[in-house]
Amino acid sequence: MKFFISIIIVLFSSYTFAANENINLGSGKFTIEGGKGHAEKKIDIYYHLPNSYDENTKVLIVIPGAGRNGWSYRDSWVEASEKHNVLILSPSYSEKLYPRFWNYNIARMLSDVKINKAKSAIESYTVVSDSNEWIFSDFDRVFDYSVSKLSLTAKKYDMFGHSAGGQILHRLALFDFKNKANRILASNSGWYTVPTFKENFPYGLNKGVSTREKISSAFKSKLTLFLGELDNEHETRGHLVRNPQLDIQGTYRLSRGKHFFKKSKELASNLNVKFNWNIHVVQGVGHDYKNMGKAAAIYLYSE
């Protein structure tokens, strides 16, 4: 009996927040568990720790696009990591454990989703009101684990997400503004949850989880719409969902980003609250996470 109890204790102790893995100089990977109530869901975190690492090293969490390829996004930030002394952390959510776009792009804020036959629109769904079910809390846990492991003094982290990653980050700013994120760069999202109560969630805020009081607090976050000038009607890279409901936002990513920013600013004005969001258009770049990332590194750490 004592033998079996010892085995259970060992198994339980190894099944913790992360597998007690080291973060070493250079590039590597560690794994954390899913959020509260989802310990069985594993998330691989691809990192790069610069050679100049010290207690003052900054932290950037990079959210991949629909390919969920954290390793590629991490690799594209290695040069900036070394130049600016920034720890890069890029989570990779597997399709097996987080299937379909509503478990990633929409951050698990929907369940029981049914898609139309054309696969161009959501027909029905259930709104997940319990924030513990969303993936947003993973980012603070990744940060806390890394800071603890490396004895960093950082209290906050910056974020960059491209395409599907940009979708996640603008929704983070909208719905989970009590996190430790500092500057949030949402880049080249395919479509948005627009801050208007005229449209139903997930396209707008009506019948969702937000209220006028909650959205007022969201506008205090440091969100920047980070858009590629050439992510326009001529861009062919990436899958852009088109349907009458989404095309209200625009017919290409740049126009949809500008629409989101305009409607956000209008709502903040109507609510008479401070609007702390920004928009930045990167010249000469389209739907390209590598070059948008290079521009983001300059925007965050060189200006």
Side-chain angles (χ1 to χ4, degrees):
M1 177 63 73
K2 289 183 178 180
F3 172 79
F4 287 110
I5 292 174
S6 298
I7 292 294
I8 291 171
I9 291 173
V10 169
L11 289 174
F12 181 78
S13 63
S14 64
Y15 200 63
T16 54
F17 169 75
N20 199 28
E21 300 170 68
N22 290 326
I23 301 177
N24 302 310
L25 287 177
S27 295
K29 180 188 76 171
F30 63 87
T31 302
I32 68 165
E33 296 174 354
K36 185 177 180 181
H38 298 280
E40 77 285 357
K41 295 182 182 292
K42 301 298 183 181
I43 308 165
D44 290 332
I45 312 299
Y46 292 86
Y47 71 82
H48 185 81
L49 181 65
N51 287 311
S52 56
Y53 146 69
D54 58 21
E55 65 177 7
N56 297 315
T57 296
K58 300 175 285 292
V59 180
L60 174 72
I61 297 180
V62 177
I63 310 299
R68 311 188 188 199
N69 48 327
W71 55 94
S72 300
Y73 275 71
R74 180 271 316 276
D75 290 349
S76 71
W77 276 86
V78 167
E79 182 179 347
S81 171
E82 295 291 347
K83 182 177 180 180
H84 302 291
N85 190 21
V86 183
L87 168 65
I88 305 300
L89 301 165
S90 189
S92 185
Y93 289 81
S94 74
E95 279 281 357
K96 181 180 179 181
L97 297 176
Y98 296 85
R100 307 300 297 270
F101 69 88
W102 53 88
N103 284 308
Y104 187 61
N105 307 33
I106 310 182
R108 302 188 78 246
M109 297 183 74
L110 299 180
S111 65
D112 307 317
V113 178
K114 293 183 179 180
I115 305 296
N116 65 3
K117 291 184 178 180
K119 297 182 178 180
S120 62
I122 299 172
E123 283 190 340
S124 63
Y125 57 88
T126 300
V127 175
V128 178
S129 57
D130 183 0
S131 61
N132 291 319
E133 296 288 331
W134 308 342
I135 69 173
F136 299 135
S137 63
D138 296 335
F139 309 143
D140 271 9
R141 293 189 303 110
V142 171
F143 172 73
D144 289 341
Y145 178 78
S146 303
V147 165
S148 176
K149 270 291 181 183
L150 297 169
S151 299
L152 302 181
T153 59
K155 303 300 181 184
K156 289 181 174 291
Y157 53 91
D158 295 320
M159 303 195 77
F160 169 81
H162 183 264
S163 199
Q167 288 198 41
I168 292 170
L169 291 194
H170 88 267
R171 294 185 175 105
L172 171 76
L174 279 173
F175 303 113
D176 188 46
F177 41 83
K178 294 182 180 180
N179 52 63
K180 298 178 183 179
N182 183 23
R183 296 171 294 180
I184 304 171
L185 270 59
S187 175
N188 292 346
S189 300
W191 61 277
Y192 295 80
T193 297
V194 180
T196 172
F197 289 94
K198 295 180 180 179
E199 300 289 335
N200 291 340
F201 187 79
Y203 306 110
L205 300 178
N206 192 46
K207 297 183 179 180
V209 298
S210 193
T211 63
R212 291 180 178 274
E213 291 74 21
K214 289 181 179 179
I215 195 64
S216 295
S217 297
F219 290 136
K220 298 175 183 178
S221 63
K222 296 179 181 179
L223 173 67
T224 296
L225 274 295
F226 207 68
L227 309 176
E229 176 197 21
L230 301 183
D231 206 350
N232 54 29
E233 67 270 31
H234 304 299
E235 180 60 274
T236 59
R237 289 171 291 185
H239 175 64
L240 182 66
V241 179
R242 295 285 306 276
N243 62 52
Q245 196 166 14
L246 282 179
D247 284 356
I248 294 173
Q249 300 181 14
T251 56
Y252 49 91
R253 297 182 193 87
L254 178 61
S255 62
R256 288 179 178 182
K258 289 181 176 180
H259 174 83
F260 172 81
F261 186 78
K262 177 183 177 183
K263 290 298 181 181
S264 301
K265 193 171 184 179
E266 287 177 359
L267 181 57
S269 178
N270 291 338
L271 295 174
N272 195 29
V273 296
K274 183 179 180 181
F275 185 64
N276 203 37
W277 295 0
N278 293 302
I279 187 169
H280 181 83
V281 178
V282 179
Q283 301 299 308
V285 180
H287 202 67
D288 179 344
Y289 74 88
K290 292 182 179 179
N291 282 319
M292 289 300 291
K294 290 179 180 178
I298 294 171
Y299 183 87
L300 288 171
Y301 303 118
S302 294
E303 294 185 346

